[in-house]
Amino acid sequence: MAIDVAALRAHFPSLAHGTAFFDGPAGTQTPRQVGDAIAGTLTGPLSNRGKVSPSELNAENAVAGFRAAYADFLGVPAEGVVHGRSATQLTYDFSRHLAKGWREGDEIVVSRLDHDANVRPWVQAAARAGTTVRWLDIDPGTTELDLDSLVLTERTRLVAVTAASNVLGTKPPIRRIADLAHDAGALVFVDGVHYAAHELVDVPALGADFFVCSPYKFLGPHCGVLGASPALLEAVEPDKLTPSPDTVPERFEFGTLPYEILAGATAAVDFLAGMDPGAGGTRRERLTNSLGSLHDHETSLRTRLEKELDGAITVHCKADDRTPTLLMSLGGREREAQRHLAERKVVAPAGSFYAYEVFAALNLEDPALRVGLAPYTSAEDVDRLLDGLSAFV
């Protein structure tokens, strides 16, 4: 069943102001249900976690609800769901955890397609451990990863790679990369921040050992989530306070959890699962149906945008399999275009968006204009974007 975009949009208070938002890759707008869940949890009653008072149980239920929701969202057990302040923070944390076992002469692989949050933490951890860094390059002609550049040896300890580029939209063959890495005895850490905003996530099917995402990229509050096998998490030893829990996933979550944020993140998953109100079944089944409908909706709008812009504006996204994200060059007028669109209540930012290695590998000028579609993007939004961009053709 197709998504009823008009009905969906009615749940987003920010859309009532008449602005067309194409900045979803930086963070989506938020439905009322998510805000209500945050406010309702925060105003309580609420205490620290426990099993006695109603306020303690509210905190306990917020944590349990969050783990259950992201177990369904990621396809991992609830005990494999770790909360973090952001995906960047989680990646830095796990770079330190995992690098404890690295030695001089060991190797890791990072990708030039990635957001810097899945590059620099590993490069810096490798430098401290005396570990060699190898690079997985981009093919400039296709804007896809060049798998011929993937060098794996018996000393490879980790491959860090994105499931979707936050600027080009390119979706690499993660399963193939993971199988090659596992054959070499390496772990696979996948940045799924951009991917999870547009595709149904199945961490085991992807072959990822660790998968991070950010709920604020898919209608939720600002935080990060990591999904992994509980058995694998048991084998990772973080530095932690002596009295804090030693069980997983709690031993990776430092300090008191933000219960209200967890409740909002849960509400975002429930909202996504309910985008097709006619769908039934488990939450995972409803997510499968809704995100399939979302894929069709966003692909249709992306195809139209690309057709209208073909030959008129330089679009750098060329991969066959990609998200509804377009990176454009406008002959040095990108900031001007951003302001021009904003004056017409169309939000499309210009910059390099932490994709440092992408811009360097493809010799792209900073800034470029990025347009990203979201569940609430309408055909009328696309009309307004195209009208605004017509001044730069």
Side-chain angles (χ1 to χ4, degrees):
M1 179 177 176
I3 291 176
D4 185 337
V5 179
L8 187 79
R9 288 170 62 88
H11 295 291
F12 291 80
S14 61
L15 300 185
H17 300 287
T19 299
F21 293 95
F22 289 93
D23 60 342
T28 53
Q29 301 304 298
T30 308
R32 184 175 291 104
Q33 291 90 328
V34 171
D36 288 346
I38 293 171
T41 301
L42 185 59
T43 56
L46 188 65
S47 300
N48 216 325
R49 295 168 68 179
K51 305 283 189 175
V52 180
S53 71
S55 56
E56 292 173 334
L57 288 169
N58 283 345
E60 199 72 42
N61 291 337
V63 176
F66 166 79
R67 298 211 201 281
Y70 282 84
D72 289 342
F73 187 75
L74 299 175
V76 300
E79 295 79 13
V81 174
V82 181
H83 167 270
R85 187 184 65 79
S86 67
T88 301
Q89 175 251 304
L90 284 165
T91 306
Y92 261 115
D93 283 350
F94 275 80
S95 73
R96 290 187 287 266
H97 303 333
L98 296 175
K100 287 181 179 182
W102 299 349
R103 299 292 180 265
E104 188 172 347
D106 287 345
E107 301 173 356
I108 65 167
V109 177
V110 292
S111 144
R112 298 199 189 278
L113 188 63
D114 273 74
H115 185 291
D116 210 51
N118 201 34
V119 174
R120 221 53 54 193
W122 305 112
V123 170
Q124 292 164 354
R128 289 190 295 270
T131 296
T132 299
V133 176
R134 296 187 181 273
W135 290 89
L136 182 51
D137 293 323
I138 303 174
D139 180 336
T142 63
T143 66
E144 298 189 34
L145 285 176
D146 176 8
L147 295 192
D148 289 340
S149 68
L150 177 60
V151 177
L152 300 166
T153 74
E154 71 279 359
R155 300 305 302 270
T156 307
R157 298 293 171 256
L158 178 102
V159 175
V161 63
T162 185
S165 165
N166 71 313
V167 289
L168 299 172
T170 301
K171 293 189 291 182
I174 295 298
R175 182 71 209 208
R176 182 179 171 192
I177 294 169
D179 287 345
L180 292 170
H182 291 153
D183 286 346
L187 294 169
V188 179
F189 192 101
V190 174
D191 176 354
V193 171
H194 190 62
Y195 180 90
H198 302 287
E199 301 291 339
L200 180 73
V201 180
D202 188 330
V203 172
L206 287 170
D209 295 297
F210 305 95
F211 183 100
V212 288
C213 62
S214 300
Y216 74 97
K217 307 286 188 173
F218 45 87
L219 316 183
H222 291 82
C223 65
V225 181
L226 179 141
S229 157
L232 177 57
L233 291 178
E234 289 280 5
V236 179
E237 292 288 345
D239 293 327
K240 54 177 280 298
L241 303 181
T242 299
S244 63
D246 197 41
T247 54
V248 301
E250 284 86 356
R251 72 182 181 205
F252 300 102
E253 298 167 333
F254 308 129
T256 300
L257 289 169
Y259 307 118
E260 67 278 8
I261 297 299
L262 301 186
T266 299
V269 171
D270 286 333
F271 186 91
L272 288 168
M275 286 193 302
D276 183 348
T282 66
R283 181 163 50 194
R284 179 69 180 181
E285 289 168 341
R286 288 181 284 116
L287 281 166
T288 301
N289 187 81
S290 287
L291 292 172
S293 297
L294 173 62
H295 181 274
D296 293 342
H297 166 65
E298 292 181 334
T299 301
S300 174
L301 293 180
R302 188 203 83 192
T303 301
R304 183 186 160 211
L305 261 175
E306 290 173 335
K307 182 178 179 181
E308 295 284 347
L309 295 174
D310 185 36
I313 288 176
T314 301
V315 178
H316 299 288
C317 314
K318 301 174 185 176
D320 290 335
D321 190 11
R322 61 186 186 275
T323 66
T325 306
L326 282 72
L327 188 72
M328 311 174 189
S329 291
L330 305 175
R333 303 178 69 191
E334 293 79 11
R335 296 289 187 197
E336 180 187 347
Q338 179 182 4
R339 292 190 294 270
H340 177 82
L341 291 168
E343 289 167 359
R344 287 152 182 79
K345 301 182 78 171
V346 177
V347 177
S352 56
F353 313 103
Y354 288 79
Y356 176 83
E357 297 295 339
V358 174
F359 273 66
L362 299 183
N363 293 314
L364 298 178
E365 295 292 331
D366 179 5
L369 193 75
R370 182 177 65 182
V371 169
L373 306 182
Y376 45 74
T377 305
S378 68
E380 292 75 20
D381 288 341
V382 172
D383 289 340
R384 292 170 60 191
L385 173 66
L386 288 169
D387 182 62
L389 287 174
S390 67
F392 299 88
V393 172

